[in-house]
Each structure stands twice: as C-alpha cells, then as structure tokens.
Amino acid sequence: MEARIAKLHLKFAEKTWNETFQLVRRCMDKPKDKSKLCMPLVRSLERLQQVVKVTSMNAMKSRLEVIAKRQGVPMDSNSLVDMINDGRIGFVIPGKEDCPLTIQFYTPPTDERKPSDMQALVQAAQVAVGVSDVTRKLQMASVLPQPPQLDPHGRLVFLPSSKAPHQSFAACFLLKLQPPLPMTSSFVSKLSQMTDVAIPDVDLQWAPLPKLLMSRSPSSNSPEETLDEQDTVFTVPLPGGVMHRYVLAAAAWEVPAQRAAVVTSVPFTHPAHVPALLALLRHQCAINTLLRSCIASQYDRAGLVCELHFEVLPESETSFSVTFHRPHKDSLAVLLVNVWDSHRITCTLFGPETGNPSLNEYLSTVMKRFMSVPVTLQALHGKLKEISLRSTFFQPPPPPPPPGHRRGPK
C-alpha cells in the first residue's frame, strides 16, 4: 500500500489540484457496493474541498453537498430537474434509430410534479444537421482531445475544427427546439453572434413577445385573443379563492425591444457553441415563464370579481415592472423584476415605506423558487398588509403639549 501511494504521489506531483479533485470525483462515481462507503476517498474529497478555491456555481454546490452529507442532512431536490436547469448542458438523451440526440435544458419549477406533467413542460432541443447556403467545415469525428482535458473552471476543452477530422459541406448543425421558442430580436441576434451563423430572417414572423406567448398558451382557444391593438386583460386564480387581474398595455409592448419571433431551430458549426447557446435559450425561457404566469390562465370575463389589479409593463429586454395599488394605502407601488439570466432574478419594490432590503431579498427568493409573478405578488400583498396593520396599531403617541399650553376647561 505504501508503494502504491508513493507511485501516486509521483504521478500526480505536477498536476493541479483541480485535476486531482476531478479524479477523486470520478472514482467515487464508479459503480460499487453502495452499502459501504470508500472512506479513504471520502476523506480525500473532503480535504480537496477545503483546498480547492470555489470558482463556479457547480463547485459551490458540490462543496455544499459534501458538507450536508457529513452533517447528515435529507436535501430536498429533484436531481433530474437540477440537471436540466443547472447542468452546463442539461439532461442528455442519447440518440437511437430514427430519434436524434436530445438535450432537455429547461423546465419551470412546480411542486409535486408528476412525471407526465414535467415532460409536457420541458424545453428540449434535438441535435440534427440542416442544409445551408454557405459551405462550412464540419467535424467528422470527436473534437475532444484524448485523454479529455479540463480548463481552469473544470469544463471540457474542445479541439478547433482544423485539428480534428473535418469536411466541407453546404450544411450546419442544428438545435431543433421542442417546442419552438418565442425569442426577442436581441436574443436572436446574440445567438447568431455566438456561432457566426445567422438565423434566416425569412423564416421569422415578428410580433410583440406577449402576443406570441398568448398564442402558445392554454388560453389560445379564446375568441378574444384576436384583440391586436387593445390592452389585454387576464384573470389568474390563486389558492384561497383569490383572483388577480393583469393588464398588458398593447402600446407599451409594441416597442422594438419587445419585438419577437418563434424560433424553431438554432444553427451552429462546433460543439463548443452549445453550452453558451443553451445558457441564452434558458435565459429567454425564464423571461417567458414569468410573463406566461400572468397571461396563461384565462382572459378576463364579465362578472368575475377581482380586488387586486396589476399592470405589467416592459422596462428593458430582460426586465419588466408590475404596478399596483397598495393595500390600506392611498398610493401605488411598483415591483421591478430583473431577469439577469435563468439563475439570477431580482425583485425591487418602489413606493412609500417600501425601502426594505430584506423584503426585496424575500421577494427575489419567492420569484426564483416558484417562477410565478402572481404567487410572488400574493406573498408581497400579505407582507404589505402586515406592514400596514403594524403601522396602524403601533403608531407613536402624540407629543406632549408645550409648557403653559391650556388644554381647555376642566
């Protein structure tokens, strides 16, 4: 055993901590008797976790998992959902027979989701080859070096096409989106910039983003959907018999930043493009999910009683605001929602007596957890009611009268 350890010391003396860390992780992932843990490997991993500097979200997650297991904590998470939303690629389903390789890369979080329901909500992409007007060099073999190499962030390194077997074709690789994804014009442009391959504009039909989301929502069978140039009003039912009414002003959403089209496929020429493309597609999915939570239930119907009214307005290509009347106050408040990417979503509340950082942090957490504007606003409404009641019942007493002041006849 001592001789083996000495050989290992010599073999890995010149390797980085990150490479050693990856090796230990691979050893722990190999099939073994699950009833018995390999304690030397566990201790080695714990020591490595203490030495390696955290440089990414995945590294931080890995370190937290080790700490949780050591402390004996039941982490409540769905490993498949985590892999789809948080993995650099997502959940990969190998291709077979007539079905190409499929990547599941986004699914909105819901509670107690049934497998059949989850499959219906998953955003996926099939990897295929399509015809192109331009001749391009496409790989004919793997572009992974042998043995595989990792960059400083623990990501696989790809060889350029010129250093791998390749051939020129009037074609390109495609991510065929299932279902097709409504995307704003700026996001479509970013996809083309990443790959140097333009998405043909002739295939795209442009319209305001909410209109495209409405046409692909369960409420699309409503005859009132054809109101193009008028404000659209939706009612959203919530637990406890609460009804929200959301207004989307048509003129506000027809600005250039909200010009969108339904994208069916994304062209690329090298596998190294895929992680960045998926990150951008996830970003758009997160924006769409939040907007759909306001518009995907049902159109406003006569006779429905809604005490809570909200107006949803665009602020930028990745942010929007929700304006509403504060409970028990004769004033308005505005909730600004910034979707920085699919993992970073922040909420900031503006209005009288609302400058509370802890409240903004709470709202951001709720929004990220449920990916629902109505659920977040219901939670906010409850918090604001508490604040209003607290200020009503605990008002400071009036100041004492100045000396010599007459209070009136006794």
Side-chain angles (χ1 to χ4, degrees):
M1 179 61 72
E2 291 179 0
R4 290 179 180 176
I5 292 176
K7 288 181 180 179
L8 285 173
H9 276 299
L10 290 174
K11 182 177 180 180
F12 291 95
E14 298 180 358
K15 293 188 177 294
T16 64
W17 277 110
N18 193 53
E19 290 178 282
T20 307
F21 176 78
Q22 295 293 335
L23 174 65
V24 174
R25 290 289 302 200
R26 287 198 297 270
C27 291
M28 293 190 70
D29 289 338
K30 287 183 178 179
K32 60 178 75 73
D33 183 358
K34 295 184 179 180
S35 63
K36 297 180 181 179
L37 290 175
C38 183
M39 293 313 297
L41 282 176
V42 172
R43 287 194 296 269
S44 298
L45 182 60
E46 291 179 354
R47 291 180 62 189
L48 286 170
Q49 292 280 11
Q50 296 171 3
V51 173
V52 176
K53 183 180 179 181
V54 172
T55 58
S56 67
M57 184 62 70
N58 285 338
M60 174 60 76
K61 183 178 177 182
S62 177
R63 181 170 296 183
L64 291 174
E65 286 176 353
V66 170
I67 295 172
K69 289 176 182 177
R70 186 170 60 231
Q71 298 299 327
V73 176
M75 293 182 294
D76 183 17
S77 65
N78 185 320
S79 58
L80 178 58
V81 172
D82 292 343
M83 184 180 297
I84 291 174
N85 288 336
D86 302 330
R88 188 165 180 242
I89 297 295
F91 181 65
V92 179
I93 303 174
K96 56 181 180 180
E97 298 178 357
D98 294 333
C99 184
L101 181 144
T102 301
I103 303 172
Q104 296 180 339
F105 62 88
Y106 184 82
T107 183
T110 59
D111 289 333
E112 299 178 1
R113 183 183 304 160
K114 298 178 181 178
S116 58
D117 295 337
M118 194 186 89
Q119 290 299 323
L121 295 171
V122 168
Q123 180 70 54
Q126 288 186 338
V127 181
V129 178
V131 178
S132 171
D133 295 334
V134 181
T135 300
R136 296 184 173 87
K137 294 179 179 179
L138 301 183
Q139 68 182 80
M140 301 297 292
S142 173
V143 290
L144 293 176
Q146 294 299 325
Q149 300 174 11
L150 301 176
D151 66 14
H153 299 288
R155 300 169 180 171
L156 284 172
V157 174
F158 293 94
L159 294 173
S161 297
S162 58
K163 293 187 178 180
H166 63 275
Q167 192 168 339
S168 295
F169 294 98
C172 61
F173 298 121
L174 295 175
L175 290 177
K176 300 183 70 174
L177 302 178
Q178 296 183 333
L181 184 64
M183 301 190 72
T184 58
S185 56
S186 63
F187 275 66
V188 173
S189 297
K190 289 175 184 176
L191 290 175
S192 300
Q193 292 168 10
M194 289 177 178
T195 62
D196 246 355
V197 183
I199 296 176
D201 191 81
V202 68
D203 298 333
L204 303 178
Q205 296 182 352
W206 301 95
L209 179 60
K211 183 178 179 181
L212 296 179
L213 297 177
M214 282 186 271
S215 66
R216 310 187 73 82
S217 73
S219 62
S220 60
N221 293 327
S222 170
E224 297 171 79
E225 184 196 346
T226 57
L227 300 177
D228 288 341
E229 299 180 358
Q230 299 182 27
D231 296 349
T232 312
V233 184
F234 292 89
T235 54
V236 180
L238 290 163
V242 177
M243 297 289 288
H244 284 190
R245 177 169 288 159
Y246 290 89
V247 179
L248 281 78
W253 287 97
E254 288 179 356
V255 295
Q258 298 302 320
R259 181 172 173 263
V262 177
V263 177
T264 57
S265 61
V266 180
F268 66 99
T269 57
H270 195 279
H273 296 152
V274 174
L277 293 176
L278 293 178
L280 193 65
L281 292 171
R282 281 186 178 126
H283 192 175
Q284 183 71 70
C285 285
I287 296 172
N288 293 358
T289 298
L290 293 178
L291 291 178
R292 274 199 181 105
S293 69
C294 304
I295 66 178
S297 292
Q298 57 184 342
Y299 284 86
D300 193 48
R301 292 283 187 269
L304 285 176
V305 178
C306 295
E307 296 181 355
L308 304 176
H309 300 258
F310 305 92
E311 184 177 26
V312 183
L313 298 172
E315 298 297 332
S316 73
E317 61 181 22
T318 59
S319 66
F320 59 90
S321 63
V322 185
T323 305
F324 59 97
H325 191 275
R326 283 195 59 184
H328 308 297
K329 293 280 186 179
D330 188 19
S331 63
L332 294 176
V334 178
L335 182 68
L336 177 64
V337 182
N338 272 295
V339 187
W340 304 103
D341 57 40
S342 63
H343 298 102
R344 292 188 302 142
I345 300 172
T346 58
C347 296
T348 309
L349 186 64
F350 297 94
E353 303 173 9
T354 58
N356 187 340
S358 63
L359 179 58
N360 291 334
E361 185 178 351
Y362 167 74
L363 295 173
S364 301
T365 301
V366 174
M367 187 73 82
K368 178 64 174 68
R369 168 65 184 86
F370 294 98
M371 292 301 290
S372 170
V373 173
V375 169
T376 304
L377 289 174
Q378 187 181 31
L380 170 59
H381 211 70
K383 288 287 185 182
L384 292 179
K385 276 186 176 179
E386 290 178 10
I387 295 172
S388 298
L389 291 173
R390 200 180 303 127
S391 61
T392 300
F393 286 111
F394 296 97
Q395 288 183 351
H405 178 74
R406 293 186 60 184
R407 294 179 179 271
K410 292 184 179 179

